[in-house]
Amino acid sequence: MISKTYNPKEIEDKWYQYWTDNKYFSSKPNPDKEPYCIVIPPPNVTGVLHMGHMLNNTIQDVLTRKARMEGKEACWVPGTDHASIATEAKVVAMLKEKGINKKELSREEFIKYCWEWTEKYGGIILNQLRKLGASCDWDRTRFTMEPNLYDAVIEVFVDLYNKEKIYRGYRMVNWDPQAKTTVSDEEVIMKDIQQKLVYIRYDGDEGSVTIATVRPETIMADAAICVNPADERYQHLIGKKVRIPLINREISIIADEYVTMDFGTGCLKVTPAHDQNDYALGEKHGLTIIDILADDGTLNEKAQILVGEDRFVARKKIIKMLEESGNLVKAEDYKSTVGTSERTGAVIEPKLSLQWFLKMKEISEPALQNVMNDTIQLIPPKFKNTYNYWMENVRDWCISRQLWWGHRIPAYYLPDGTCIVAINKQEALKIARNKYQLFALSEQDLTQDEDVLDTWFSSWLWPMSVFDAFKNPDNEDIKYYYPTNDLVTAPEILFFWVARMIIAGYEYQGKYPFKNVYLTGIVRDKQGRKMSKSLGNSPDPLELIEKYGADSVRTGMLFSSPAGNDLLYDEKLIEQGRNFNNKIWNAFRLIEGWEVSATENQSQSSAKAIEWFKSKLNKVVAETLEHYSKFRMSDALMSTYNLIWDDFCSQYLEMIKPAYVDGNSLPIDKYTFDATLEIFDTLMRLAHPWMPFLTEEIWQNIKTRGANESICIAEFPKVGHVNEEILSDFEILSEIISTVRNTRNAKQISPKEALPLAIKTSNKARYEGLAGLISKLANISGIQYVQDKTEGVSFVIKGDEFTLDLGGNIDIETEKANLQKDLDYTLGFKKSVESKLANERFVQNAKPDIIEKERQKLADAEAKIKALEEALAKLG
RNA sequence: GGGAGUUUAGCUCAGCUGGUUCAGAGCAUCUGCCUUACAAGCAGAGGGCCGGGGGUUCGAAUCCCUCAACUCCCACCA
């Protein structure tokens, strides 16, 4: 006896093992098959699965499994990303706990720790994906820091350098004082914060000025005071000098139109070292750059005062000091935006430093065009706008990071500072010798750049590097799988990653890396808040899988998540998923429990039911494929959900269910039984991409399967013949049944009590075909075809009149009122259709098929009115 | 400050190029049922002037204008 409720725990590990043992997810180039390929957005190697991963990877798995069942050579490439900043931060923290300071370690020692850490935690997230049922080709698992991928990054750097796309320069960059590295513009998150706008008076011999600033701790780095040349208030001071309070250094007052007259006091303190605009202003006016901040965000000796204090502490203290010195004019509340690091949350410090950049404008041209012309499709397309904006205003990409964990920049410096870029030291030395004729030079004389590359500078090669496109350019894999088909990822990394992969794809393969980009939404909680650790509103995906089963979580997450829309997560969704799983499980239990008779003849009703369901199934398969083709995942799932729950369980199974006599089920005829199993088989294949475990378990039990058979590689249902006539007949059937059931409900008559039904129709044949089913599903004791209305409750469907004999249990007035209500509505309806048809402009302008539809409506309404009127007349 | 998007039942969303069997789905709610697959269930029901206003049209949730609210992206007014 199978369990009454579906128990996923018992089967999930078993089937996953079976699938991997049989290598169903392995893929090799196969010229006879069409490739279907997805590369996973590589999660952080030391990360753990969160709800966003669940959503995103479930979608990838659904797409991959469906493609595989459709006979394509499906290949889903898994892997992880080394995540420089995040991993390095974790390792530093771990070392700190052990009492080790990163600074005390050599680069090699530190990297060794990183590798240890990676090996310890690196497998976790991939194993979690297995729990979810992800059908990745695990033999192809890649890591952005593994040797081949490492080399690819270095090669690309050298290549771009040689093409003069990469340069080194001083720039104002975003400095993260916590991670002590630069971060790219995209990694800076602007946040609104409440600050104090401090007004400070600078005195001079010829007058004084008051400036407003939110960063009083930087006054020691001031290079000038700037006013608008048109500002009459300050005309007399331009060119004069004032002294910086507290340190009494003299600075000039300069004029520039950049300054807004009506903001603050109209006087701007210019601090070229600590502000983007001030830097530009400083360059223009030839000002001195005084950098008073150390790498960790404390004030350095150039500040002269408050040396060693953290910038925020210094800010508070200096206000106090200014107050005491009498230079503080006032301080008011002010809200402004400040950049914070995406990785550490620290407030970003604009900092002037020497960094490596990639010129973006030219290289990104094809990536812009081919998204705009839909060669690459963004789903949903609304993201094209933001993509376009970003790409058109793209700025050079700062690719160096002051970290150790990552791909070390292959730039080597000669003792005189000359920079040579080459794939390794030996090559660099060769260049030094050949190009500069420095034959005496040895490897020891070359110093490699200390910095590593931005993590995205490795992941932008991902769709190519996972197939070794750089190491081995003409290999079978890259030729077969590239370009890949779909990419499923979060909109947040559209520019970080997606756009850059497209750029790299065109640069190195001359072709887009993927055809479609499906952008998922953000998983939020019920109240619409982002899932976050600090809020504690993010459930642990593995606990959910443990509690409900992977299939429940998968379906639950996809019930309501259109592309690009955020998913408001509620555990109820997962429950709904579980209920669906259980429903299927029980349908199987029912069928499984039937006794089969080889001698019993098939009833006409069962034959009809099978015919109907097959048409219905084909219709839904067509719909589902349509949804898939448009990446409407929720809709595709819902089609299957409704087909199985409503059409199959609630209707079909009730139609063919063997009767009970004296508490015992009669056997079911073999033909119907076999047909039902076949249908069930198809349904499981249709549902498999959503619920791989449950469907495999059932599919394996429907009949005896061979040793290497699996639903994973069974055929996805194809669209077959749809008999529209039978579908419409069954719609009438279901209307009859629900009306009868309704009537019982209203009259409080038990469903167990069989009632006689009279039908007055001109199409007796139609109902004779349905009679058995009507009787069975509406519990009708006998059907009688009549010429005149008989005693009982009547209703009209498609111009035919049905009367349910309730044995006198009727209230004439109520019946009359009900019929009258229906009649009134239909008359009104008829009138509106008539007036429409009478409208010449309508008849002239509307399309013929629309008019034909209207005529049909009119005819139907007239038939209905006739029947209703007759029924009413009978009641007196 | 600039740009884009959204606004349809209590919630989450479908409704393509305008045609009143298009006002839908799932969930939630309500009513009645432990009917021998499933109470994680069965059978039913209610619920929306499609954000407001104006316009185009024979006809608008669907096109245009305008207002309002919300969201996102971009942006250095100290």
Side-chain angles (χ1 to χ4, degrees):
Chain A
M1 191 61 194
I2 0 178
S3 145
K4 192 170 166 178
T5 47
Y6 169 54
N7 193 346
K9 260 195 247 176
E10 290 169 7
I11 62 156
E12 290 186 350
D13 289 345
K14 174 185 76 178
W15 287 121
Y16 204 86
Q17 189 67 42
Y18 178 77
W19 295 332
T20 47
D21 285 351
N22 281 287
K23 299 258 174 216
Y24 294 129
F25 307 152
S26 300
S27 171
K28 273 202 267 306
N30 179 348
D32 299 331
K33 284 179 161 189
E34 187 187 332
Y36 177 85
C37 185
I38 294 184
V39 292
I40 203 169
N44 287 0
V45 65
T46 58
V48 289
L49 209 62
H50 58 63
M51 297 304 282
H53 291 125
M54 296 285 280
L55 175 62
N56 172 354
N57 286 291
T58 300
I59 292 168
Q60 292 178 68
D61 194 44
V62 170
L63 294 173
T64 306
R65 284 181 183 269
K66 172 173 167 277
R68 189 179 292 118
M69 292 176 77
E70 285 174 325
K72 294 178 185 162
E73 187 56 47
C75 181
W76 180 12
V77 184
T80 47
D81 185 296
H82 65 285
S84 289
I85 298 181
T87 307
E88 182 152 335
K90 279 181 189 169
V91 173
V92 167
M94 177 272 288
L95 290 171
K96 199 175 172 188
E97 245 171 57
K98 286 190 183 173
I100 305 171
N101 188 330
K102 180 187 165 191
K103 282 184 183 156
E104 295 161 7
L105 297 173
S106 70
R107 188 175 184 119
E108 288 67 33
E109 285 168 332
F110 180 77
I111 287 175
K112 214 177 126 218
Y113 279 115
C114 290
W115 274 110
E116 278 172 17
W117 181 268
T118 298
E119 273 144 28
K120 187 169 173 194
Y121 298 101
I124 293 180
I125 196 159
L126 298 180
N127 282 324
Q128 290 177 322
L129 285 175
R130 288 177 169 90
K131 288 272 174 206
L132 183 66
S135 65
C136 302
D137 182 352
W138 299 108
D139 299 335
R140 292 182 179 272
T141 306
R142 307 308 293 261
F143 176 46
T144 50
M145 278 285 277
E146 67 176 76
N148 278 0
L149 274 67
Y150 192 106
D151 293 350
V153 171
I154 300 305
E155 259 178 56
V156 164
F157 183 95
V158 173
D159 179 63
L160 290 171
Y161 179 83
N162 290 336
K163 287 178 184 162
E164 296 185 351
K165 300 271 189 222
I166 284 179
Y167 63 92
R168 196 173 184 226
Y170 276 99
R171 278 292 184 85
M172 194 60 101
V173 295
N174 305 298
W175 184 260
D176 177 341
Q178 198 172 317
K180 294 193 195 111
T181 178
T182 56
V183 292
S184 68
D185 292 339
E186 290 72 36
E187 286 166 309
V188 176
I189 301 179
M190 300 308 280
K191 280 188 184 151
D192 282 333
I193 57 161
Q194 197 57 244
Q195 303 202 86
K196 285 265 186 260
L197 186 62
V198 186
Y199 289 75
I200 304 167
R201 196 186 65 250
Y202 288 46
D203 295 319
D205 297 334
E206 283 149 280
S208 54
V209 288
T210 300
I211 56 95
T213 180
V214 291
R215 301 204 60 187
E217 77 279 15
T218 63
I219 59 169
M220 292 82 81
D222 285 353
I225 296 289
C226 191
V227 296
N228 192 298
D231 197 330
E232 288 173 8
R233 292 173 292 177
Y234 303 114
Q235 287 299 326
H236 64 289
L237 288 172
I238 295 172
K240 305 284 168 22
K241 288 187 187 300
V242 290
R243 285 180 301 276
I244 298 172
L246 304 174
I247 59 167
N248 289 320
R249 181 159 54 76
E250 277 200 331
I251 51 172
S252 304
I253 294 173
I254 58 170
D256 195 289
E257 274 156 8
Y258 166 74
V259 180
T260 320
M261 285 187 274
D262 52 12
F263 184 87
T265 59
C267 291
L268 171 72
K269 80 193 229 352
V270 186
T271 321
H274 301 292
D275 186 282
Q276 289 270 6
N277 298 303
D278 291 13
Y279 176 69
L281 215 47
E283 231 174 15
K284 192 168 161 189
H285 296 270
L287 302 174
T288 337
I289 294 161
I290 306 156
D291 186 344
I292 60 160
L293 283 172
D295 287 352
D296 60 357
T298 59
L299 272 56
N300 65 25
E301 63 288 344
K302 288 201 191 116
Q304 301 177 43
I305 51 172
L306 296 166
V307 176
E309 296 279 7
D310 179 79
R311 53 195 165 141
F312 298 113
V313 178
R315 185 176 303 173
K316 282 199 182 117
K317 289 194 175 169
I318 204 163
I319 291 175
K320 192 101 193 179
M321 290 160 76
L322 287 165
E323 199 175 358
E324 283 161 7
S325 73
N327 292 84
L328 183 75
V329 179
K330 61 175 176 174
E332 54 191 31
D333 285 334
Y334 182 69
K335 92 172 178 300
S336 68
T337 52
V338 51
T340 60
S341 164
E342 194 205 26
R343 303 282 177 162
T344 64
V347 173
I348 291 298
E349 201 57 59
K351 189 179 166 74
L352 190 68
S353 62
L354 194 53
Q355 304 286 343
W356 289 92
F357 293 89
L358 174 60
K359 290 184 196 165
M360 293 296 276
K361 196 69 199 168
E362 207 176 306
I363 200 177
S364 62
E365 227 11 82
L368 170 60
Q369 281 167 20
N370 286 294
V371 167
M372 295 323 285
N373 68 17
D374 289 325
T375 303
I376 300 162
Q377 237 189 318
L378 301 187
I379 297 146
K382 68 176 177 188
F383 286 106
K384 270 170 82 177
N385 275 326
T386 44
Y387 183 89
N388 182 43
Y389 187 86
W390 192 79
M391 291 296 266
E392 284 200 327
N393 297 288
V394 69
R395 283 175 297 175
D396 288 354
W397 176 12
C398 174
I399 51 176
S400 44
R401 295 290 180 273
Q402 288 63 51
L403 300 166
W404 281 349
W405 175 241
H407 306 80
R408 189 166 177 183
I409 292 176
Y412 301 85
Y413 302 99
L414 304 185
D416 69 353
T418 306
C419 174
I420 297 173
V421 170
I423 53 168
N424 56 37
K425 217 174 210 180
Q426 293 75 33
E427 288 301 313
L429 188 62
K430 269 192 213 164
I431 293 172
R433 287 176 172 166
N434 295 339
K435 192 171 169 189
Y436 301 105
Q437 312 284 310
L438 296 166
F439 302 108
L441 221 58
S442 71
E443 282 189 24
Q444 283 77 16
D445 300 320
L446 295 178
T447 332
Q448 187 173 358
D449 197 297
E450 289 297 322
D451 291 354
V452 298
L453 289 160
D454 181 10
T455 305
W456 300 104
F457 195 84
S458 63
S459 32
W460 76 325
L461 306 177
W462 189 245
M464 295 177 278
S465 60
V466 295
F467 298 119
D468 286 328
F470 296 92
K471 206 77 181 168
N472 183 6
D474 287 317
N475 77 78
E476 290 305 309
D477 282 353
I478 189 77
K479 282 197 280 185
Y480 185 72
Y481 295 113
Y482 193 95
T484 67
N485 299 68
D486 304 328
L487 179 81
V488 180
T489 191
E492 300 137 67
I493 54 175
L494 186 57
F495 310 123
F496 276 128
W497 191 47
V498 181
R500 287 168 181 165
M501 277 191 288
I502 300 173
I503 293 170
Y506 279 102
E507 184 71 14
Y508 288 102
Q509 288 292 320
K511 208 162 185 190
Y512 51 84
F514 27 71
K515 187 78 190 121
N516 303 299
V517 180
Y518 180 103
L519 295 153
T520 62
I522 297 165
V523 182
R524 299 174 177 277
D525 69 6
K526 265 191 280 195
Q527 292 142 50
R529 300 175 305 180
K530 260 191 177 174
M531 298 261 172
S532 79
K533 268 187 196 156
S534 52
L535 281 173
N537 59 351
S538 178
D540 176 355
L542 290 185
E543 279 172 23
L544 286 177
I545 291 177
E546 177 73 15
K547 187 170 168 197
Y548 295 102
D551 292 337
S552 307
V553 180
R554 291 166 63 109
T555 43
M557 299 220 61
L558 292 183
F559 273 130
S560 179
S561 47
N565 278 29
D566 289 353
L567 169 66
L568 267 62
Y569 171 80
D570 186 341
E571 195 158 326
K572 278 195 171 151
L573 286 169
I574 310 295
E575 278 178 30
Q576 193 189 343
R578 177 200 57 189
N579 295 354
F580 184 36
N581 279 267
N582 194 50
K583 184 76 187 173
I584 296 174
W585 180 255
N586 274 288
F588 180 62
R589 270 181 70 216
L590 172 70
I591 297 168
E592 193 66 341
W594 284 333
E595 187 192 329
V596 184
S597 160
T599 54
E600 191 82 22
N601 285 327
Q602 184 182 37
S603 70
Q604 190 212 15
S605 299
S606 294
K608 195 100 183 167
I610 291 164
E611 200 191 339
W612 163 72
F613 192 80
K614 283 185 176 166
S615 271
K616 185 80 196 177
L617 175 69
N618 282 325
K619 194 163 185 152
V620 174
V621 168
E623 274 170 27
T624 306
L625 291 174
E626 171 78 9
H627 288 317
Y628 268 117
S629 75
K630 292 182 175 157
F631 290 92
R632 300 173 162 189
M633 305 306 282
S634 297
D635 292 338
L637 171 59
M638 203 44 74
S639 291
T640 302
Y641 181 84
N642 288 326
L643 177 71
I644 292 180
W645 201 305
D646 300 337
D647 298 308
F648 184 71
C649 294
S650 298
Q651 305 217 54
Y652 174 80
L653 287 178
E654 293 303 326
M655 288 174 188
I656 61 145
K657 207 180 209 174
Y660 280 92
V661 174
D662 301 332
N664 295 312
S665 171
L666 295 177
I668 187 166
D669 69 273
K670 189 160 176 359
Y671 185 85
T672 302
F673 184 74
D674 289 347
T676 303
L677 284 186
E678 197 191 307
I679 287 169
F680 209 96
D681 191 301
T682 311
L683 291 174
M684 290 306 93
R685 283 180 281 121
L686 187 63
H688 180 259
W690 314 104
M691 297 170 282
F693 296 106
L694 170 71
T695 51
E696 179 78 282
E697 172 72 13
I698 290 177
W699 191 83
Q700 293 284 350
N701 281 291
I702 285 174
K703 64 179 182 199
T704 318
R705 306 283 178 181
N708 325 312
E709 276 191 276
S710 167
I711 194 171
C712 292
I713 50 166
E715 188 187 55
F716 194 76
K718 289 203 168 105
V719 183
H721 174 67
V722 176
N723 177 345
E724 290 292 345
E725 196 186 342
I726 198 166
L727 290 180
S728 79
D729 279 358
F730 270 63
E731 255 161 48
I732 296 172
L733 171 69
S734 104
E735 206 175 326
I736 296 169
I737 294 162
S738 63
T739 312
V740 172
R741 285 173 176 167
N742 245 336
T743 309
R744 281 182 201 278
N745 246 356
K747 299 283 175 193
Q748 310 246 333
I749 298 169
S750 160
K752 287 177 187 166
E753 190 182 329
L755 299 169
L757 180 72
I759 306 176
K760 178 164 170 273
T761 177
S762 53
N763 188 355
K764 198 172 161 188
R766 172 194 279 162
Y767 297 104
E768 280 176 330
L770 299 173
L773 292 170
I774 295 174
S775 303
K776 188 168 185 173
L777 300 182
N779 196 13
I780 297 301
S781 55
I783 293 175
Q784 200 192 348
Y785 297 91
V786 296
Q787 294 304 315
D788 279 314
K789 183 184 154 42
T790 54
E791 185 82 357
V793 175
S794 297
F795 53 93
V796 174
I797 295 167
K798 286 268 178 199
D800 295 331
E801 188 184 338
F802 299 80
T803 305
L804 203 52
D805 184 355
L806 303 182
N809 179 15
I810 66 165
D811 172 13
I812 303 276
E813 290 312 312
T814 313
E815 290 319 311
K816 276 170 77 175
N818 285 342
L819 289 170
Q820 190 62 48
K821 198 174 150 199
D822 201 358
L823 179 63
D824 289 346
Y825 175 84
T826 315
L827 281 170
F829 179 70
K830 182 190 158 200
K831 205 172 163 188
S832 81
V833 177
E834 272 174 341
S835 69
K836 190 182 290 186
L837 284 167
N839 183 334
E840 267 181 45
R841 307 242 253 171
F842 171 70
V843 181
Q844 271 169 16
N845 299 329
K847 290 180 202 141
D849 58 314
I850 302 278
I851 297 172
E852 188 43 47
K853 261 191 198 165
E854 293 299 315
R855 295 230 160 88
Q856 188 57 48
K857 279 188 222 162
L858 185 62
D860 288 352
E862 279 168 348
K864 186 164 184 179
I865 287 164
K866 188 165 167 252
L868 284 168
E869 279 171 344
E870 281 173 16
L872 269 169
K874 275 281 173 238
L875 287 172

